[in-house]
Amino acid sequence: MSLRTTLSRASAVAAAALLVATATPAPAPAAPAPSPAPKAAAGETGAARWAVQPSSAKGPTGRNYFIYDLAPGSTLTDHVGVTNLGDRPLTFDVYGTDAYTSTDGAFALLPADRPATDVGSWISVARREWTIPAGKRVDIPFRLTVPANATPGDHTGGVIGAVARVRTTADGQRVLVDQRLAARVYLRVTGPVRPAVTVEAVDVAYDNPVNPFGGGDLVVRYRLRNDGNVRVGGSGTVTVRAPFGREQARTAPTDLPELLPGATFTVTERITGVPPLLRLTAEVDIAATTTDTALPPVVRTAGVWAPPWLLLALLAAAAGWAGLRWWRRRGTPAGRVTAPGPDDTATAGRRPGPVSDAAPAGPHPDARRPDAP
C-alpha cells in the first residue's frame, strides 16, 4: 500500500470543516517528517498547531465563512489565511473540496482521496504546497470560477489547510496522517430557487406493556431528504394520537441539522408512558426554513397497533363467565326429569280413560219435586 493511499484513508478520521480552529495532535515519535518539511530535532515533539480562516491580501477580514452570490460564468479572487501556531516551520497542502451532510447531521468535507466535482473543483490555488515559518501567517490567494452551466442554488465546500505527518503505529508500521482544517465556502449561484423537504419514511414501533395503566415506549423514526437546491434547517415535532384523533403525547421541537441539497437525515424520537389504546398514530410535523424564509409545514403520519392485552383478557374472561351463567339459567335441558308437583300427587297411579261429553248422573236442576205446586 503506498504512502499516499495510507494518507487518503487516514484523512477520513482527521478533523475537517472547522473554521478558525487550532489543531493540536498528540506528540509524534522521533521520526523524519516528509519532505520538504524539516526534520524534527532529537527529543523535540514538534506538535503542529495552525489555523485556517477567510482573509484578504492585507489580513483577516473578520468573516466567519466564504459567502458568495455569483452568476454562472463569474470569476473572483479571494484569500485564505493559514497561520502556523507551532514552534517550527510547517508545510501545508492548500486546496478546495466539496462538502456534504454526514449521517449524523454534521457538516463534513470529502476525504483527500475523493476528487471534488462541485464548488471544490471550481477553486484553484497557484500552488498546492505552502511552507509557513513558525508563528507566521500567509494569506494565500485562490480563484473561484463558476462554470457557465452551473445549476442555480447552493453549492457548499471548503478551502482546506492540511498537514501531512508521519506516525508510527503500535505494531511499528509507519503511516502518513493527514490532519485538516478548513474554512467553509457557501456559494449561491443565481437563478430559480427551489426549497423542498420531504419526509421519505416514518417507522413506528411500540413496546406494549403488561400493565396497560403504566404505559409503554413509542419509538418514531423518520427520514428527511432535502429535495430542493438550497440548504435547509428547521425543527421537527412528533404528536401521538389515539383513535378519533385524541392527542396523547407531543415531543418538544427537535432542531434539525443543516441539510445540504440532496442530503438525507434520520431522526429518532422515543416517547415514554404511552398507554395502549388499540391504535396509535404518530404525526410528524416538519417546520423547515432556509436562509431566506420559512417553508410550508410538511406533515406525514404512520400508525401502529397497540392492543391492551391485559384488559382484553379480563374482558374475555368476564364475557366467558357471563355466558356460562346464562347457559346455566336458561330453560331445562331436554330429557331432564323433574320432581312431581302437588297436583300431580292426586292423580298419581290413575290410568287415563276416555273422556265423555254426557251429563253427570243425578236430578237435573230444573226437575220438579212431586209436591211442587
Side-chain angles (χ1 to χ4, degrees), residues 197-205 219-227 237-238 256 263-269 282-286 298-303:
V197 175
T198 302
V199 180
E200 287 191 327
V202 179
D203 179 65
V204 184
V219 177
V220 181
R221 183 177 292 105
Y222 58 93
R223 186 173 66 251
L224 302 175
R225 177 179 292 276
N226 182 353
D227 288 328
T237 304
V238 175
L256 303 176
T264 61
F265 181 67
T266 300
V267 180
T268 301
E269 296 278 12
E283 179 182 279
V284 177
D285 189 348
I286 303 300
V298 179
V299 179
R300 183 164 176 175
T301 61

Side-chain angles (χ1 to χ4, degrees), residues 55-93:
S55 191
S56 69
K58 298 180 180 181
T61 58
R63 292 177 291 173
N64 292 327
Y65 312 112
F66 293 111
I67 301 178
Y68 308 113
D69 284 279
L70 299 173
S74 301
T75 300
L76 64 78
T77 299
D78 209 337
H79 295 74
V80 59
V82 180
T83 306
N84 181 0
L85 302 173
D87 56 2
R88 64 186 183 85
L90 289 174
T91 297
F92 297 90
D93 277 353

Side-chain angles (χ1 to χ4, degrees), residues 140-306:
I140 302 172
F142 66 88
R143 182 179 294 273
L144 174 60
T145 302
V146 182
N149 61 347
T151 58
D154 289 341
H155 301 262
T156 310
V159 180
I160 288 179
V163 174
R165 299 175 63 82
V166 173
R167 297 293 179 86
T168 303
T169 64
D171 58 358
Q173 297 292 326
R174 295 181 63 195
V175 296
L176 192 61
V177 179
D178 185 27
Q179 297 170 299
R180 311 189 302 168
L181 296 177
R184 300 185 187 186
V185 176
Y186 290 108
L187 167 64
R188 174 165 293 185
V189 177
T190 57
V193 173
R194 297 183 300 98
V197 175
T198 302
V199 180
E200 287 191 327
V202 179
D203 179 65
V204 184
Y206 183 63
D207 185 9
N208 206 320
V210 176
N211 178 13
F213 302 101
D217 289 355
L218 186 76
V219 177
V220 181
R221 183 177 292 105
Y222 58 93
R223 186 173 66 251
L224 302 175
R225 177 179 292 276
N226 182 353
D227 288 328
N229 62 356
V230 294
R231 63 186 192 272
V232 296
S235 62
T237 304
V238 175
T239 303
V240 180
R241 300 187 185 277
F244 309 107
R246 182 177 179 182
E247 182 176 318
Q248 294 298 307
R250 180 187 295 266
T251 64
T254 299
D255 291 335
L256 303 176
E258 181 182 68
L259 296 179
L260 303 181
T264 61
F265 181 67
T266 300
V267 180
T268 301
E269 296 278 12
R270 179 179 293 273
I271 306 166
T272 60
V274 180
L277 298 174
L278 191 62
R279 182 72 176 176
L280 297 173
T281 301
E283 179 182 279
V284 177
D285 189 348
I286 303 300
T289 60
T290 68
T291 56
D292 305 317
T293 185
L295 304 182
V298 179
V299 179
R300 183 164 176 175
T301 61
V304 63
W305 289 105

